[in-house]
Amino acid sequence: MRALGAPGALGLGVLLALLPPPAPAETFTAMLSVRRALGSEGRLLRRLRTYLREESARLRRIASLIKRLHSDWPNVVYSDEAAENTQALHDSFKEVEQELPGAEDLDGAARALMRLQDVYALSVKGMANGVFQRAGAGRPPLYSPGRRISLSADDCFHVGKVAYDTGDYYHSIAWLEEAVSLFRLSYGSWNPEDRSSLEDALDHLAFSYFMAGNISHALSLSREFLHYDPSNGRVARNVAKYEKLLEMGTAVSAGPLQRPNGTRLQSRDAYEELCQRPRGQLAPELHPHLGCSYETNGNPYLLLQPAKKEMVWIQPYVALYHDFISDDEAETIKGLAGPWLQRSVVASGEKQQKAEYRISKSAWLKDTADPVVRALEQRIAAVTGLDLRPPYAEYLQVVNYGLGGHYEPHFDHATSRKSPLYRMKSGNRIATVMIYLSAVEAGGSTAFIYANFSVPVVKNAALFWWNLRRNGDGDGDTLHAGCPVLAGDKWVANKWIHEHGQEFRRPCSANPQD
């Protein structure tokens, strides 16, 4: 049995609705790409206003009735000026076509909303109203934006349809319920941006409930559908089928829907609890061995301006260096990386590939790209005491997270000798330096799963940790994740340092287990 299908759209205008879909641009994977798409829309709107102004001027030039009917209307329709105006509008669209969101971006945005719903335990109704409200009565909002942006019935339908198409009825029911509720409120009115209708939402919701085992509710929704479209034979047959199942008593009892576990690691609950934790780590009084200090690390580079070190955790060793980079340096690095951003990939065996569990775009910068990059590398070397000369460290990776951008639990170091990391011939990643190049309004923390703490985004700070123990084994406690960005634009710069070249800078311990 198939449900009625209609392509959904999130905020597409009438003009774009009438034009052929552009090639996928992976806009949803980086907020910089989203801003560029908004700029492209602005250019299109300016061109459209010019087109309408010039066409209106042409029409106003028509004089008397007889003359209009005899010659002017054919001139209006077939004139070279009309063709030129239309061609100018078409050319403007072609210029920005590759920058506009495609079908993949719409689906990516829908999956981002479901990801935020899951990780932060958000209410779908609250999200539709532009409020990040945790599910459950009486719970305060997780984040209240200064300006609410509500989702339309069509938006909610599209999110539910993306889940529906993958057999994910846990999410499809929640979003389609909201779509049905909103469509009922506006039934009879026409919205030119809507690609779907109340009937579409009822049809998909009914089948979702049927697949979830709730036959009686599927029957009720299908009957409501027939109230609006009594001639639909397929839904009428569904009603008869549901009635027969209920009469025979063979309907499966509807139990609570189980959320699908899409994560590739068995740490979803711990990961989400850490992302939801309001202040990141546990109370400071429970960890008296942690503290702050000014550090020179025995390096003359830091004598006049010591590093501001906050000890975040002991095992694994994690430190946060405040004011590690200036605002101007951060903006320079983002500007250098912006034109080169590409969809981030992950290691999969001996290959690298895109993955749903990492939503961002990244670019690599050599230290020769700009004096700011070279100065930053010198600062990292001074603070860590490690050798960053090639091939002992990778280029600086700059990352911009997208809609609900995240990176599920992972290790920075290779866990297999087949990993592409070993192609550098400089061993495994011994340490990570992650610099927060921007602030975010909500979300985006770095969560260490097994160590049970998280670090919120601190603008211009650098987070440092050892990936390997002194004996060269990977430190399992460094399993970490980038929590989804709930609100804001998250940029980070990663510097991965390899173990070769560090033999005398971080020597082995007398204890072989260390």
Side-chain angles (χ1 to χ4, degrees), residues 297 321 379-388 433 464 466 497:
N297 204 25
Y321 293 92
R379 200 173 307 150
I380 294 172
V383 166
T384 63
L386 299 175
D387 191 344
L388 271 61
V433 178
F464 171 83
W466 297 109
I497 307 165

Side-chain angles (χ1 to χ4, degrees), residues 42-370:
R43 295 198 297 276
L44 276 178
L45 290 173
R46 287 192 293 273
R47 180 62 253 182
L48 181 59
R49 281 194 289 270
T50 301
Y51 171 81
L52 294 174
R53 185 171 60 251
E54 292 176 352
E55 286 296 287
S56 296
R58 283 197 318 109
L59 293 175
R60 284 195 298 269
R61 291 198 292 268
I62 298 177
S64 66
L65 174 64
I66 300 299
K67 184 172 182 292
R68 282 204 307 270
L69 297 178
H70 174 69
S71 60
D72 284 357
W73 273 111
N75 290 338
V76 165
V77 175
Y78 299 111
S79 73
D80 292 339
E81 188 179 356
E84 289 171 1
N85 290 339
T86 302
Q87 185 61 44
L89 180 62
H90 183 268
D91 291 344
S92 297
F93 175 76
K94 295 298 290 184
E95 287 177 6
V96 299
E97 185 175 14
Q98 294 302 317
E99 299 176 17
L100 298 177
E104 179 186 3
D105 296 301
L106 291 176
D107 292 353
R111 288 191 294 270
L113 289 173
M114 289 185 275
R115 184 183 313 121
L116 294 175
Q117 171 196 352
D118 291 343
V119 174
Y120 294 107
L122 298 177
S123 157
V124 169
K125 183 170 288 295
M127 295 175 74
N129 290 327
V131 178
F132 298 101
Q133 176 80 46
R134 283 198 175 99
R139 304 187 70 177
L142 188 64
Y143 169 69
S144 297
R147 180 188 175 198
R148 291 189 184 183
I149 305 295
S150 299
L151 298 177
S152 68
D154 193 62
D155 295 337
C156 294
F157 173 79
H158 180 76
V159 178
K161 179 71 161 51
V162 169
Y164 175 96
D165 287 342
T166 60
D168 174 8
Y169 303 113
Y170 172 89
H171 288 105
S172 71
I173 286 176
W175 285 96
L176 291 172
E177 282 279 16
E178 188 61 25
V180 165
S181 176
L182 293 172
F183 272 128
R184 284 170 177 158
L185 292 175
S186 61
Y187 191 77
S189 61
W190 179 69
N191 184 342
E193 290 193 3
D194 283 352
R195 300 287 189 89
S196 54
S197 64
L198 174 59
E199 291 88 336
D200 291 327
L202 286 169
D203 194 15
H204 286 81
L205 182 58
F207 186 72
S208 295
Y209 270 115
F210 169 70
M211 293 300 292
N214 193 334
I215 308 299
S216 60
H217 202 44
L219 175 60
S220 174
L221 292 165
S222 298
R223 285 172 172 168
E224 183 180 352
F225 178 102
L226 290 178
H227 172 76
Y228 298 107
D229 185 6
S231 63
N232 191 295
R234 177 179 58 78
V235 176
R237 290 190 295 273
N238 289 345
V239 167
K241 177 180 178 180
Y242 298 154
E243 289 174 339
K244 185 175 182 180
L245 287 172
L246 290 173
E247 289 173 5
M248 295 172 59
T250 56
V252 179
S253 59
L257 276 173
Q258 296 298 313
R259 177 181 141 203
N261 188 356
T263 186
R264 62 197 180 99
L265 296 171
Q266 304 303 312
S267 52
R268 186 179 73 178
D269 293 343
Y271 160 57
E272 293 177 356
E273 191 277 326
L274 286 168
C275 291
Q276 294 172 27
R277 198 176 283 178
R279 294 185 60 85
Q281 60 194 63
L282 301 176
E285 57 270 18
L286 300 178
H287 304 277
H289 52 286
L290 304 178
C292 298
S293 61
Y294 286 103
E295 297 286 332
T296 63
N297 204 25
N299 192 306
Y301 184 91
L302 298 173
L303 285 177
L304 294 179
Q305 190 174 1
K308 302 173 183 178
K309 178 182 177 181
E310 176 188 349
M311 198 63 211
V312 177
W313 215 254
I314 299 297
Q315 178 51 43
Y317 180 99
V318 180
L320 185 69
Y321 293 92
H322 293 265
D323 300 322
F324 191 79
I325 191 172
S326 70
D327 288 341
D328 289 343
E329 288 174 323
E331 291 304 314
T332 297
I333 289 172
K334 291 191 289 184
L336 290 169
W340 304 101
L341 289 175
Q342 298 288 334
R343 176 74 181 269
S344 298
V345 296
V346 298
S348 178
E350 299 181 31
K351 299 179 180 179
Q352 292 185 320
Q353 61 185 27
K354 301 172 186 178
E356 186 63 27
Y357 57 82
R358 187 183 190 188
I359 300 298
S360 63
K361 286 186 177 180
S362 57
W364 299 85
L365 298 179
K366 295 182 180 181
D367 62 356
T368 56
D370 191 272

